[in-house]
Amino acid sequence: VPKKHPQKALDTLASLDDHVARAKPVLENALKNIYAAGLSRNSSEAVAVQDALNKLSGMNAFSASLSANASSLLRSAQKAKNEAESRLSQAERALDASEFTTARKRLEEAGEKFVESLSYNDDDELRASSDARIASLGEEIKLRENIDVVREVRTLKNSARHEYFNGNFEAAQKFL
């Protein structure tokens, strides 16, 4: 659970810590009552309660270790997601400047960072939204690049036609 779903792990561990925190005073009180009843520290009852208290302490340490690991995964996921968002913004700016190669490269980098983020924290909502945004921006890049290519071809064709009709056949041929 912690490796792919660190937030769920943190929630589960918080619940576990809450149960342990409520169980400890009960066991400590039971141990006091055992001693008050005159039983020794070596009695089976006292040993059993002390053993349970020791296990709860071990659970706290284990929980703290897992929580630190899960928190680290969440930080890594957030960092990768932030980098992906930055790359998407860079791709959009490159597209606005008609720098299609840069836009595609930044879009690809954004996709890689989203995948990295999802490797730390499997988030269905992020997966769906990032897939949709990347696909949409990819289509926009392709569409705008095609429009620019068509515009450039038309300009060349019109320049060639203009030169041809003006009798500059060599100049017209250079445009083709």
Side-chain angles (χ1 to χ4, degrees):
V1 170
K3 187 136 180 141
K4 285 291 192 172
H5 303 281
Q7 188 58 57
K8 288 179 185 177
L10 283 173
D11 295 343
T12 301
L13 291 167
S15 176
L16 174 67
D17 289 345
D18 182 51
H19 289 320
V20 168
R22 285 185 284 156
K24 268 189 173 181
V26 172
L27 290 173
E28 289 167 347
N29 190 39
L31 196 56
K32 286 179 189 175
N33 288 338
I34 289 171
Y35 296 148
L39 295 171
S40 75
R41 292 186 183 272
N42 295 328
S43 69
S44 63
E45 293 85 359
V47 169
V49 172
Q50 188 59 53
D51 186 46
L53 279 168
N54 291 340
K55 286 180 181 177
L56 288 180
S57 293
M59 289 175 73
N60 276 344
F62 184 66
S63 175
S65 172
L66 286 178
S67 292
N69 185 25
S71 293
S72 175
L73 288 172
L74 282 176
R75 283 190 301 277
S76 295
Q78 187 61 48
K79 180 181 176 191
K81 179 183 173 195
N82 291 345
E83 289 176 14
E85 296 290 346
S86 175
R87 299 297 188 285
L88 272 181
S89 294
Q90 292 170 1
E92 290 168 344
R93 285 192 303 275
L95 176 60
D96 289 341
S98 296
E99 297 170 0
F100 303 112
T101 301
T102 301
R104 275 192 300 279
K105 183 173 185 200
R106 295 299 175 259
L107 183 63
E108 182 179 331
E109 291 169 353
E112 291 168 359
K113 286 298 180 178
F114 277 125
V115 168
E116 180 182 338
S117 177
L118 291 167
S119 75
Y120 296 123
N121 183 25
D122 192 13
D123 180 344
D124 291 337
E125 187 175 312
L126 176 62
R127 183 181 315 282
S129 68
S130 65
D131 286 351
R133 291 173 62 199
I134 287 172
S136 174
L137 187 54
E139 288 298 316
E140 183 68 20
I141 291 169
K142 189 178 0 173
L143 175 69
R144 299 227 341 238
E145 187 173 26
N146 287 343
I147 289 171
D148 271 15
V149 167
V150 168
R151 184 178 300 128
E152 185 177 335
V153 167
R154 283 185 185 150
T155 300
L156 290 172
K157 184 179 172 186
N158 289 339
S159 295
R161 178 180 292 149
H162 176 74
E163 293 297 331
Y164 179 82
F165 287 126
N166 285 335
N168 299 326
F169 302 114
E170 287 183 30
Q173 193 167 9
K174 288 180 183 176
F175 285 109
L176 298 175

